[in-house]
């Protein structure tokens, strides 16, 4: 890992520094909104490890002023948060985001809005094609109300994880274990993305992107079977969601598996030009040939008949979540993206990067962020057009199926009292931002 002995190199002028959150993970005030697929999932015993729910979470809905003050004190240029569709469907729901956006603008922090971060209204289903057009209608309403003040728009957060974890493996909401029959969920979300881009443009807003999760896929060895398995995994995690958006095509063989009468016509919608492309980066994945047995990986049980198997990455530090810490894989990812997509890749923003560690004196998080920001700079120096970086996350929060057991925040939250305590990493990031001014 890079040391902190050398000064952080300067990023280009206008580089946007921020932090990210999502509605379901922080807002609470669940009684003031409709239910989402995550509420239904959480109510099923055993689905969330510590048995917790997001009913209160960080109570951000009531404490947003305090949280915006912390953002202003941190000195970020932008704050990425998501608008909850179930809240917007409820009386007064959009008023909350109106107040939040005003508060951010008054504090000099630019609002960056994610329009879907996994909390689908209960009763809707991404297996259904019309969920895509319903999403576009919802987006029009949000853009009409907030469009005059929002700095950047993100259509979807990580459709890959929502498809794979939520619909293929069943460890996230809505808890379906459809394996490859989950492919329509990918297509309908991608279609929703394209329709949302059109809805946003029709509403007259600019500066639109997506937040896709990506990571290098490393073959377990040079054996052909391992290389082929790793390529397959790379298609599922990376290319299935980037190729249609950036190239207007599915990776070979996948287009035929997608639902609908005219997938080619859908791809034209999906490939609506973007102003920038958001990358969420956490870790690379090592992948080898199938091992013929159901294996547990990262808390997910992987069926034996998948055409690949995920392997441990050894000899690197691990976060408290057990994720490998490999900053240089961020440089590899971005230069690889530039080489793969060439001038079809718009400017890139890192819309999430972060780690789970316990404690307020979180030196490991500082080392993680320091290493990754230096790795990002190496990608910039190698000519990748990167325009911004957002830490996941502002606050410790409801970490999906892990409940409150994982702490990703720059700010510690004591859930019984809701007291916020900035961690050492918060102070470190503030100094970094000042030095970059
Ligand atoms: C998601 C966040 C999540 C984070 C850490 C990303 O996949 O967008 O909602 O909390 O990773 O797991």
């Amino acid at each position: 890992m890079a040391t902190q002995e050398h000064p952080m190199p300067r990023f280009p002028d206008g580089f946007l520094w921020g932090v990210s959150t999502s509605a379901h993970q922080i807002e609470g005030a669940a009684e003031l909104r409709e239910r989402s697929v995550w509420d239904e999932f959480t109510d099923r015993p055993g689905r969330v490890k510590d048995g917790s729910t997001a009913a209160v979470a960080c109570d951000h809905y009531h404490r947003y002023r305090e949280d915006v003050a912390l953002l202003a004190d941190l000195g970020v240029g932008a704050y990425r948060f998501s608008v909850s569709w179930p809240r917007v469907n409820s009386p007064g729901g959009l008023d909350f985001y109106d107040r939040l956006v005003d508060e951010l603008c008054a504090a000099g922090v630019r609002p960056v809005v994610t329009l879907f971060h996994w909390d689908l209204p209960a009763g809707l289903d991404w297996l259904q094609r019309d969920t895509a057009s319903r999403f576009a209608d919802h987006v029009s309403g949000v853009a009409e109300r907030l469009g005059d003040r929002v700095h950047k728009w993100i259509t979807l957060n990580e459709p890959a994880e929502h498809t794979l974890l939520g619909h293929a493996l069943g460890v996230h909401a809505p808890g379906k274990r459809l394996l490859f029959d989950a492919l329509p969920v990918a297509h309908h979300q991608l279609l929703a993305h394209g329709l949302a881009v059109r809805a946003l443009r029709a509403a007259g807003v600019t500066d639109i992107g997506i937040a896709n999760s990506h990571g290098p896929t490393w073959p377990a060895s040079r054996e052909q079977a391992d290389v082929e398995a790793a390529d397959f995994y790379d298609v599922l995690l990376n290319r299935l969601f980037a190729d249609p958006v950036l190239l207007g095509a599915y990776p070979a063989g996948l287009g035929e598996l997608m639902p609908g009468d005219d997938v080619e016509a859908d791809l034209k919608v999906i490939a609506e030009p973007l102003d920038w492309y958001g990358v969420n980066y956490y870790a690379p994945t090592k992948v080898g040939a199938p091992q013929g047995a159901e294996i547990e990986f990262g808390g997910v049980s992987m069926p034996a008949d998948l055409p690949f198997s995920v392997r441990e990455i050894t000899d690197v530090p691990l976060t408290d979540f057990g994720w490998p810490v490999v900053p240089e894989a961020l440089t590899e990812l971005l230069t690889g993206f530039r080489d793969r997509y060439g001038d079809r890749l718009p400017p890139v923003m890192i819309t999430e990067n972060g780690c789970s560690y316990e404690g307020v004196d979180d030196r490991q998080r500082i080392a993680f962020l320091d290493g990754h920001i230096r790795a990002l700079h190496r990608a910039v120096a190698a000519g990748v057009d990167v325009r911004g970086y957002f830490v996941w996350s502002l606050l410790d929060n409801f970490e999906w199926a892990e409940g409150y057991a994982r702490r990703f925040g720059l700010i510690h939250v004591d859930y019984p009292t809701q007291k916020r305590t900035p961690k050492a990493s918060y102070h470190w990031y503030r100094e970094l931002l000042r030095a970059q001014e």
Side-chain angles (χ1 to χ4, degrees), residues 153-196:
W153 296 88
I154 296 170
T155 54
L156 306 181
N157 178 73
E158 298 191 355
E161 270 64 20
H162 195 51
T163 305
L164 296 175
L165 300 178
H167 298 78
L169 296 171
V171 292
H172 275 191
K176 295 189 169 144
R177 200 169 163 90
L178 300 171
L179 301 178
F180 288 101
D181 290 339
L183 281 175
V185 170
H187 186 68
H188 294 150
Q189 283 182 92
L190 287 163
L191 183 61
H193 157 78
L195 292 172

CSV table of all heavy atoms in Angstrom, one decimal, residues 153-196:
chain,number,residue,atom,x,y,z
A,153,TRP,N,-26.7,14.2,-12.0
A,153,TRP,CA,-27.7,13.2,-11.8
A,153,TRP,C,-27.1,11.8,-12.1
A,153,TRP,O,-26.4,11.7,-13.1
A,153,TRP,CB,-28.9,13.4,-12.8
A,153,TRP,CG,-29.6,14.7,-12.6
A,153,TRP,CD1,-29.3,15.9,-13.1
A,153,TRP,CD2,-30.8,14.8,-11.8
A,153,TRP,NE1,-30.3,16.8,-12.6
A,153,TRP,CE2,-31.2,16.2,-11.8
A,153,TRP,CE3,-31.6,14.0,-11.0
A,153,TRP,CZ2,-32.3,16.7,-11.1
A,153,TRP,CZ3,-32.7,14.4,-10.3
A,153,TRP,CH2,-33.0,15.8,-10.4
A,154,ILE,N,-27.5,10.8,-11.3
A,154,ILE,CA,-27.1,9.4,-11.5
A,154,ILE,C,-28.4,8.7,-11.7
A,154,ILE,O,-29.3,8.7,-10.8
A,154,ILE,CB,-26.3,8.9,-10.3
A,154,ILE,CG1,-25.0,9.7,-10.2
A,154,ILE,CG2,-26.1,7.4,-10.4
A,154,ILE,CD1,-24.2,9.4,-8.9
A,155,THR,N,-28.6,8.0,-12.8
A,155,THR,CA,-29.8,7.2,-13.0
A,155,THR,C,-29.9,6.0,-12.0
A,155,THR,O,-30.8,6.0,-11.2
A,155,THR,CB,-29.9,6.7,-14.4
A,155,THR,OG1,-28.7,5.9,-14.6
A,155,THR,CG2,-30.0,7.8,-15.4
A,156,LEU,N,-29.0,5.1,-12.1
A,156,LEU,CA,-29.0,3.9,-11.3
A,156,LEU,C,-27.7,3.7,-10.5
A,156,LEU,O,-26.7,4.0,-11.0
A,156,LEU,CB,-29.2,2.6,-12.1
A,156,LEU,CG,-30.3,2.6,-13.1
A,156,LEU,CD1,-30.2,1.2,-13.9
A,156,LEU,CD2,-31.7,2.7,-12.5
A,157,ASN,N,-27.8,3.1,-9.3
A,157,ASN,CA,-26.7,2.6,-8.6
A,157,ASN,C,-26.5,1.1,-8.8
A,157,ASN,O,-27.4,0.3,-8.5
A,157,ASN,CB,-26.8,2.9,-7.1
A,157,ASN,CG,-25.6,2.4,-6.3
A,157,ASN,OD1,-24.5,3.0,-6.4
A,157,ASN,ND2,-25.7,1.3,-5.6
A,158,GLU,N,-25.4,0.7,-9.3
A,158,GLU,CA,-25.0,-0.7,-9.3
A,158,GLU,C,-26.1,-1.7,-9.7
A,158,GLU,O,-26.5,-2.5,-8.9
A,158,GLU,CB,-24.4,-1.1,-8.0
A,158,GLU,CG,-23.2,-0.4,-7.6
A,158,GLU,CD,-22.4,-1.0,-6.4
A,158,GLU,OE1,-22.9,-1.9,-5.8
A,158,GLU,OE2,-21.3,-0.5,-6.1
A,159,PRO,N,-26.6,-1.5,-11.0
A,159,PRO,CA,-27.5,-2.6,-11.4
A,159,PRO,C,-26.9,-4.0,-11.4
A,159,PRO,O,-27.7,-4.9,-11.2
A,159,PRO,CB,-27.9,-2.1,-12.8
A,159,PRO,CG,-26.9,-1.1,-13.2
A,159,PRO,CD,-26.4,-0.5,-12.0
A,160,ALA,N,-25.6,-4.1,-11.4
A,160,ALA,CA,-25.0,-5.4,-11.4
A,160,ALA,C,-25.3,-6.1,-10.1
A,160,ALA,O,-25.7,-7.2,-10.0
A,160,ALA,CB,-23.5,-5.3,-11.6
A,161,GLU,N,-25.0,-5.4,-9.0
A,161,GLU,CA,-25.2,-6.0,-7.6
A,161,GLU,C,-26.7,-6.2,-7.4
A,161,GLU,O,-27.1,-7.2,-6.8
A,161,GLU,CB,-24.7,-5.1,-6.5
A,161,GLU,CG,-23.3,-5.4,-6.1
A,161,GLU,CD,-22.3,-5.1,-7.3
A,161,GLU,OE1,-22.7,-4.3,-8.2
A,161,GLU,OE2,-21.2,-5.6,-7.3
A,162,HIS,N,-27.5,-5.3,-7.9
A,162,HIS,CA,-29.0,-5.5,-7.6
A,162,HIS,C,-29.5,-6.7,-8.4
A,162,HIS,O,-30.3,-7.4,-7.9
A,162,HIS,CB,-29.7,-4.2,-8.1
A,162,HIS,CG,-31.1,-4.1,-7.6
A,162,HIS,ND1,-31.5,-4.3,-6.3
A,162,HIS,CD2,-32.3,-4.0,-8.3
A,162,HIS,CE1,-32.8,-4.2,-6.2
A,162,HIS,NE2,-33.3,-4.0,-7.4
A,163,THR,N,-28.9,-6.9,-9.6
A,163,THR,CA,-29.2,-8.1,-10.4
A,163,THR,C,-28.7,-9.4,-9.7
A,163,THR,O,-29.4,-10.4,-9.4
A,163,THR,CB,-28.7,-8.0,-11.8
A,163,THR,OG1,-29.2,-6.8,-12.4
A,163,THR,CG2,-29.2,-9.2,-12.6
A,164,LEU,N,-27.3,-9.4,-9.5
A,164,LEU,CA,-26.7,-10.6,-9.0
A,164,LEU,C,-27.0,-11.0,-7.6
A,164,LEU,O,-27.4,-12.1,-7.3
A,164,LEU,CB,-25.1,-10.4,-9.2
A,164,LEU,CG,-24.6,-10.2,-10.6
A,164,LEU,CD1,-23.1,-10.0,-10.6
A,164,LEU,CD2,-24.9,-11.5,-11.4
A,165,LEU,N,-26.9,-10.0,-6.7
A,165,LEU,CA,-27.1,-10.3,-5.3
A,165,LEU,C,-28.6,-10.4,-5.0
A,165,LEU,O,-29.0,-11.2,-4.2
A,165,LEU,CB,-26.5,-9.2,-4.4
A,165,LEU,CG,-25.0,-9.1,-4.5
A,165,LEU,CD1,-24.4,-8.0,-3.6
A,165,LEU,CD2,-24.3,-10.4,-4.2
A,166,GLY,N,-29.4,-9.5,-5.6
A,166,GLY,CA,-30.8,-9.5,-5.3
A,166,GLY,C,-31.7,-10.5,-6.0
A,166,GLY,O,-32.7,-11.0,-5.5
A,167,HIS,N,-31.3,-10.8,-7.3
A,167,HIS,CA,-32.2,-11.6,-8.1
A,167,HIS,C,-31.6,-13.0,-8.6
A,167,HIS,O,-32.3,-13.9,-8.9
A,167,HIS,CB,-32.6,-10.8,-9.3
A,167,HIS,CG,-33.4,-9.6,-9.0
A,167,HIS,ND1,-32.8,-8.5,-8.6
A,167,HIS,CD2,-34.7,-9.4,-9.1
A,167,HIS,CE1,-33.8,-7.5,-8.4
A,167,HIS,NE2,-34.9,-8.1,-8.7
A,168,ALA,N,-30.2,-13.0,-8.6
A,168,ALA,CA,-29.6,-14.3,-9.1
A,168,ALA,C,-29.2,-15.1,-7.9
A,168,ALA,O,-29.5,-16.3,-7.9
A,168,ALA,CB,-28.3,-14.0,-9.9
A,169,LEU,N,-28.7,-14.5,-6.8
A,169,LEU,CA,-28.2,-15.3,-5.6
A,169,LEU,C,-29.1,-15.2,-4.4
A,169,LEU,O,-29.1,-16.0,-3.5
A,169,LEU,CB,-26.8,-14.9,-5.3
A,169,LEU,CG,-25.7,-15.2,-6.3
A,169,LEU,CD1,-24.4,-14.6,-6.0
A,169,LEU,CD2,-25.6,-16.7,-6.5
A,170,GLY,N,-30.0,-14.1,-4.4
A,170,GLY,CA,-31.0,-14.0,-3.4
A,170,GLY,C,-30.5,-13.6,-2.0
A,170,GLY,O,-31.2,-13.7,-1.0
A,171,VAL,N,-29.3,-13.0,-1.9
A,171,VAL,CA,-28.8,-12.5,-0.6
A,171,VAL,C,-29.2,-11.1,-0.3
A,171,VAL,O,-28.9,-10.6,0.8
A,171,VAL,CB,-27.3,-12.8,-0.4
A,171,VAL,CG1,-27.0,-14.3,-0.4
A,171,VAL,CG2,-26.5,-12.1,-1.5
A,172,HIS,N,-29.7,-10.3,-1.3
A,172,HIS,CA,-30.2,-9.0,-1.1
A,172,HIS,C,-31.7,-9.0,-1.5
A,172,HIS,O,-32.1,-10.0,-2.2
A,172,HIS,CB,-29.5,-8.0,-2.0
A,172,HIS,CG,-28.2,-7.5,-1.5
A,172,HIS,ND1,-27.5,-6.4,-2.0
A,172,HIS,CD2,-27.5,-7.8,-0.4
A,172,HIS,CE1,-26.4,-6.1,-1.3
A,172,HIS,NE2,-26.4,-7.0,-0.3
A,173,ALA,N,-32.4,-7.9,-1.2
A,173,ALA,CA,-33.8,-7.8,-1.7
A,173,ALA,C,-33.8,-7.8,-3.2
A,173,ALA,O,-32.9,-7.2,-3.8
A,173,ALA,CB,-34.4,-6.5,-1.1
A,174,PRO,N,-34.8,-8.4,-3.8
A,174,PRO,CA,-36.0,-9.0,-3.3
A,174,PRO,C,-35.8,-10.5,-2.9
A,174,PRO,O,-36.8,-11.1,-2.6
A,174,PRO,CB,-37.0,-8.8,-4.4
A,174,PRO,CG,-36.2,-8.9,-5.6
A,174,PRO,CD,-34.9,-8.3,-5.3
A,175,GLY,N,-34.5,-10.9,-2.8
A,175,GLY,CA,-34.3,-12.3,-2.3
A,175,GLY,C,-34.6,-13.4,-3.3
A,175,GLY,O,-34.9,-14.5,-2.9
A,176,LYS,N,-34.5,-13.1,-4.6
A,176,LYS,CA,-34.8,-14.2,-5.6
A,176,LYS,C,-33.5,-14.9,-5.9
A,176,LYS,O,-32.5,-14.3,-6.1
A,176,LYS,CB,-35.4,-13.6,-6.8
A,176,LYS,CG,-36.8,-12.9,-6.6
A,176,LYS,CD,-37.5,-12.5,-7.8
A,176,LYS,CE,-38.9,-12.2,-7.4
A,176,LYS,NZ,-39.5,-11.1,-8.2
A,177,ARG,N,-33.6,-16.2,-6.1
A,177,ARG,CA,-32.4,-17.0,-6.5
A,177,ARG,C,-32.7,-17.6,-7.9
A,177,ARG,O,-32.9,-18.8,-8.0
A,177,ARG,CB,-32.2,-18.0,-5.4
A,177,ARG,CG,-30.7,-18.6,-5.4
A,177,ARG,CD,-30.5,-19.4,-4.2
A,177,ARG,NE,-29.3,-20.3,-4.3
A,177,ARG,CZ,-28.1,-19.9,-4.0
A,177,ARG,NH1,-27.8,-18.7,-3.5
A,177,ARG,NH2,-27.1,-20.7,-4.1
A,178,LEU,N,-32.6,-16.7,-8.9
A,178,LEU,CA,-33.0,-17.1,-10.2
A,178,LEU,C,-31.8,-17.5,-11.1
A,178,LEU,O,-31.9,-17.9,-12.2
A,178,LEU,CB,-33.7,-16.0,-10.9
A,178,LEU,CG,-35.0,-15.5,-10.3
A,178,LEU,CD1,-35.5,-14.2,-11.0
A,178,LEU,CD2,-36.1,-16.5,-10.4
A,179,LEU,N,-30.6,-17.4,-10.5
A,179,LEU,CA,-29.3,-17.6,-11.3
A,179,LEU,C,-29.4,-16.9,-12.7
A,179,LEU,O,-29.8,-15.8,-12.7
A,179,LEU,CB,-29.1,-19.1,-11.4
A,179,LEU,CG,-28.9,-19.8,-10.0
A,179,LEU,CD1,-28.7,-21.2,-10.1
A,179,LEU,CD2,-27.8,-19.1,-9.1
A,180,PHE,N,-29.2,-17.6,-13.8
A,180,PHE,CA,-29.1,-16.9,-15.1
A,180,PHE,C,-30.5,-16.5,-15.5
A,180,PHE,O,-30.6,-15.7,-16.4
A,180,PHE,CB,-28.4,-17.8,-16.1
A,180,PHE,CG,-27.0,-17.9,-15.8
A,180,PHE,CD1,-26.4,-19.0,-15.2
A,180,PHE,CD2,-26.1,-16.8,-16.1
A,180,PHE,CE1,-25.0,-19.0,-14.9
A,180,PHE,CE2,-24.8,-16.8,-15.8
A,180,PHE,CZ,-24.2,-17.9,-15.2
A,181,ASP,N,-31.6,-17.0,-14.9
A,181,ASP,CA,-32.9,-16.5,-15.3
A,181,ASP,C,-33.1,-15.0,-14.8
A,181,ASP,O,-34.2,-14.4,-15.0
A,181,ASP,CB,-34.0,-17.4,-14.7
A,181,ASP,CG,-34.1,-18.7,-15.4
A,181,ASP,OD1,-33.5,-18.8,-16.6
A,181,ASP,OD2,-34.6,-19.7,-14.9
A,182,ALA,N,-32.1,-14.5,-14.0
A,182,ALA,CA,-32.2,-13.1,-13.6
A,182,ALA,C,-31.8,-12.1,-14.7
A,182,ALA,O,-31.9,-10.9,-14.5
A,182,ALA,CB,-31.3,-12.9,-12.4
A,183,LEU,N,-31.4,-12.6,-15.9
A,183,LEU,CA,-30.9,-11.7,-16.9
A,183,LEU,C,-31.9,-10.6,-17.3
A,183,LEU,O,-31.5,-9.5,-17.6
A,183,LEU,CB,-30.4,-12.5,-18.1
A,183,LEU,CG,-29.0,-13.1,-18.0
A,183,LEU,CD1,-28.7,-13.9,-19.3
A,183,LEU,CD2,-28.0,-12.0,-17.8
A,184,PRO,N,-33.2,-10.9,-17.3
A,184,PRO,CA,-34.2,-9.9,-17.7
A,184,PRO,C,-34.1,-8.7,-16.7
A,184,PRO,O,-34.4,-7.5,-17.1
A,184,PRO,CB,-35.6,-10.5,-17.6
A,184,PRO,CG,-35.3,-12.0,-17.8
A,184,PRO,CD,-33.9,-12.2,-17.2
A,185,VAL,N,-33.7,-8.9,-15.5
A,185,VAL,CA,-33.6,-7.9,-14.5
A,185,VAL,C,-32.5,-6.9,-14.9
A,185,VAL,O,-32.7,-5.7,-14.7
A,185,VAL,CB,-33.3,-8.5,-13.1
A,185,VAL,CG1,-32.9,-7.4,-12.0
A,185,VAL,CG2,-34.5,-9.3,-12.6
A,186,ALA,N,-31.4,-7.4,-15.4
A,186,ALA,CA,-30.4,-6.6,-15.9
A,186,ALA,C,-30.9,-5.7,-17.1
A,186,ALA,O,-30.7,-4.5,-17.1
A,186,ALA,CB,-29.2,-7.4,-16.4
A,187,HIS,N,-31.6,-6.4,-18.0
A,187,HIS,CA,-32.0,-5.7,-19.2
A,187,HIS,C,-33.1,-4.6,-18.9
A,187,HIS,O,-33.0,-3.5,-19.4
A,187,HIS,CB,-32.7,-6.7,-20.2
A,187,HIS,CG,-33.0,-6.0,-21.5
A,187,HIS,ND1,-32.1,-5.5,-22.4
A,187,HIS,CD2,-34.2,-5.7,-22.1
A,187,HIS,CE1,-32.7,-5.0,-23.4
A,187,HIS,NE2,-34.0,-5.1,-23.3
A,188,HIS,N,-34.0,-4.9,-18.0
A,188,HIS,CA,-35.0,-3.9,-17.6
A,188,HIS,C,-34.4,-2.7,-16.9
A,188,HIS,O,-34.9,-1.6,-17.0
A,188,HIS,CB,-36.1,-4.6,-16.9
A,188,HIS,CG,-36.9,-5.6,-17.7
A,188,HIS,ND1,-37.5,-6.7,-17.1
A,188,HIS,CD2,-37.1,-5.6,-19.0
A,188,HIS,CE1,-38.1,-7.4,-18.1
A,188,HIS,NE2,-37.9,-6.8,-19.3
A,189,GLN,N,-33.4,-3.0,-16.0
A,189,GLN,CA,-32.8,-1.9,-15.4
A,189,GLN,C,-32.0,-1.0,-16.4
A,189,GLN,O,-32.0,0.2,-16.3
A,189,GLN,CB,-31.8,-2.3,-14.3
A,189,GLN,CG,-32.5,-2.8,-13.0
A,189,GLN,CD,-31.4,-3.2,-12.0
A,189,GLN,OE1,-31.0,-2.4,-11.2
A,189,GLN,NE2,-31.0,-4.5,-12.1
A,190,LEU,N,-31.3,-1.7,-17.3
A,190,LEU,CA,-30.6,-0.9,-18.3
A,190,LEU,C,-31.6,-0.1,-19.2
A,190,LEU,O,-31.3,1.1,-19.5
A,190,LEU,CB,-29.7,-1.8,-19.2
A,190,LEU,CG,-28.5,-2.4,-18.5
A,190,LEU,CD1,-27.9,-3.6,-19.2
A,190,LEU,CD2,-27.4,-1.3,-18.3
A,191,LEU,N,-32.7,-0.7,-19.5
A,191,LEU,CA,-33.7,0.1,-20.2
A,191,LEU,C,-34.2,1.3,-19.4
A,191,LEU,O,-34.4,2.4,-19.9
A,191,LEU,CB,-34.8,-0.9,-20.6
A,191,LEU,CG,-36.0,-0.3,-21.4
A,191,LEU,CD1,-35.5,0.2,-22.8
A,191,LEU,CD2,-37.1,-1.4,-21.6
A,192,ALA,N,-34.4,1.0,-18.1
A,192,ALA,CA,-34.9,2.1,-17.2
A,192,ALA,C,-33.8,3.2,-17.2
A,192,ALA,O,-34.2,4.4,-17.2
A,192,ALA,CB,-35.0,1.5,-15.8
A,193,HIS,N,-32.5,2.8,-17.2
A,193,HIS,CA,-31.5,3.8,-17.3
A,193,HIS,C,-31.6,4.7,-18.5
A,193,HIS,O,-31.7,6.0,-18.4
A,193,HIS,CB,-30.1,3.1,-17.2
A,193,HIS,CG,-29.0,4.0,-17.8
A,193,HIS,ND1,-28.4,5.0,-17.1
A,193,HIS,CD2,-28.4,4.0,-19.0
A,193,HIS,CE1,-27.5,5.6,-17.9
A,193,HIS,NE2,-27.5,5.0,-19.1
A,194,GLY,N,-31.8,4.1,-19.7
A,194,GLY,CA,-31.9,4.8,-20.9
A,194,GLY,C,-33.1,5.7,-20.9
A,194,GLY,O,-33.0,6.9,-21.4
A,195,LEU,N,-34.2,5.2,-20.5
A,195,LEU,CA,-35.5,6.0,-20.5
A,195,LEU,C,-35.3,7.1,-19.5
A,195,LEU,O,-35.8,8.2,-19.7
A,195,LEU,CB,-36.7,5.1,-20.1
A,195,LEU,CG,-37.1,4.0,-21.1
A,195,LEU,CD1,-38.1,3.1,-20.6
A,195,LEU,CD2,-37.6,4.7,-22.4
A,196,ALA,N,-34.6,6.9,-18.4
A,196,ALA,CA,-34.4,8.0,-17.4
A,196,ALA,C,-33.5,9.1,-18.0
A,196,ALA,O,-33.8,10.3,-17.8
A,196,ALA,CB,-33.8,7.4,-16.1
